[in-house]
Amino acid sequence: MTCRRWPEYAPSVSILVRQVRELATRLPSGLRVATLLYLGIRLPVEVIAAGTLGMLPLGPGATGVPFTEGPSWLKVFLRWDSGWYVSIIQKGYTWADCTVPQVRCAQASISFLPGYPSLVRAGMWTGLSLPTVSFILTHGALLLGIWGVSEFVRLKRGDEPEAQRAAISMLVFPSAFFLSAGYAESLFMAAGTWGLVWLYQGRLLPAACALAFGALTRSQGMLLLGAVCVVLLARREWKVLALIGGVGSLAVGGFLLWQHQSFGDALAFVHARRGWGVFDLSPAESVLRYWRRTVSGELGWVGWLDFASIGALLMSGLLAWRRLGPIEGLFCLLVLAAPLSSGQVWGMTRIVLCAFPMFLLLGQLTVRPTVARLLFSSGFAWLMVSAVRFVNGHFAD
């Protein structure tokens, strides 16, 4: 029995290529560009990082995730806090009474909002494994997020090169590998960017639904929803405020009511942060202690990155207010103020990732090729290191 030669396959391959091209031409131009950026920048990082599994001794971020069925190569995207989401998907939420002041309670999964695990659980009804659904969901959301950031710039500035630079800035941001992992960041990025795009386009119902879903995905989504409502109130846009605020209130209020009925604590997701040491000290004392640990070298480069993220959020808030609008500026400032109000500094490198107006500003600031090459190359190098560390279960910020 002989193998068929390439000339025999050529017609079929040509037909397939033609069909793919025809399908691509039917896609919106923004989605085509987003897909090319994803395939050209993010996918190689993921493939290379996944291939390094085992080159480093597995760290605690890999060994602490509950067992799941599914392809092993997809499990490399489930690390650290992904374990909490896996636990929620498999067993539901856990709760601990964290309402007693100054008393450290047990860590509980109620601290993580339901948007991401609910969609993964729904996707598993198709028979796909948890890692497979998580990968499809997070990467589909990442693609929508790239498109959303680009569309936002096109809408606000009408500048195609700037839109692409903003999207690239998001993809090569040092902590941006979390957008590919089993986390809720990419889902919030998609909901937040498109929520504002639709709001500015006057498509109010889709905007309200996207902003409400973002509020159930990350706590920063509640801040974005609040910033939109505050600005609408100041502008006295009552009809828009009624729709956006009404849909958002139903979503967030329903979650609070569920917590009250389930655990007797409507703010259980906030109080649960005490299990991670938040609220143990006054905000000023917590920040000062973190600063001392950073200066002494106890935290290494992680502490300095967290404080650098604080500066980036502050500058983003001030610049976004001036260059983009009050909603974007207020949102960035709220993203900074919310953790600092409880004294939280750790994890700011992930929190800053949610302040997506920062990437729009980077699209403006990288107009000079020299600056763009410097920031993109250094960001990509740091991203690559973080991705390898993350895949092998080591702390990556």
Side-chain angles (χ1 to χ4, degrees), residues 210-297:
L211 292 171
F213 180 74
L216 295 179
T217 303
R218 289 278 306 180
S219 58
Q220 287 76 24
M222 297 185 185
L223 301 178
L224 178 59
L225 179 63
V228 170
C229 290
V230 167
V231 173
L232 291 176
L233 178 63
R235 292 174 175 172
R236 298 184 180 183
E237 298 184 27
W238 307 120
K239 293 183 179 179
V240 181
L241 176 61
L243 179 59
I244 301 292
V247 174
S249 297
L250 285 174
V252 177
F255 179 57
L256 299 182
L257 178 61
W258 175 82
Q259 289 180 102
H260 176 72
Q261 293 177 339
S262 300
F263 311 120
D265 181 8
L267 295 176
F269 77 104
V270 176
H271 296 149
R273 297 175 64 207
R274 194 182 300 280
W276 281 264
V278 181
F279 307 120
D280 284 354
L281 301 173
S282 69
E285 290 173 331
S286 296
V287 173
L288 183 59
R289 172 180 289 187
Y290 200 84
W291 172 254
R292 289 171 177 168
R293 293 177 64 193
T294 300
V295 173
S296 67

Side-chain angles (χ1 to χ4, degrees), residues 46 49-51 53-54 58-83 86 90 116 124 128-136 138-139 177 180-183 387-394:
E46 295 166 355
L53 180 64
L58 287 183
T63 57
V65 178
F67 174 79
T68 60
E69 299 286 349
S72 58
W73 67 275
L74 290 181
K75 295 181 184 179
V76 301
F77 296 96
L78 301 176
R79 298 289 188 258
W80 293 103
D81 283 352
S82 300
V86 171
Q90 292 178 337
Y116 167 74
M124 291 175 64
L128 297 175
S129 65
L130 190 156
T132 303
V133 175
S134 174
F135 182 88
I136 294 173
T138 55
H139 287 72
F177 192 74
S180 298
Y183 282 63
V388 172
R389 290 181 58 83
F390 181 91
V391 162
N392 287 277
H394 297 277

Side-chain angles (χ1 to χ4, degrees), residues 304-319:
W304 292 112
L305 284 177
D306 284 327
F307 279 105
S309 298
I310 292 177
L313 277 172
L314 179 60
M315 290 299 299
S316 296
L318 299 177
L319 290 175

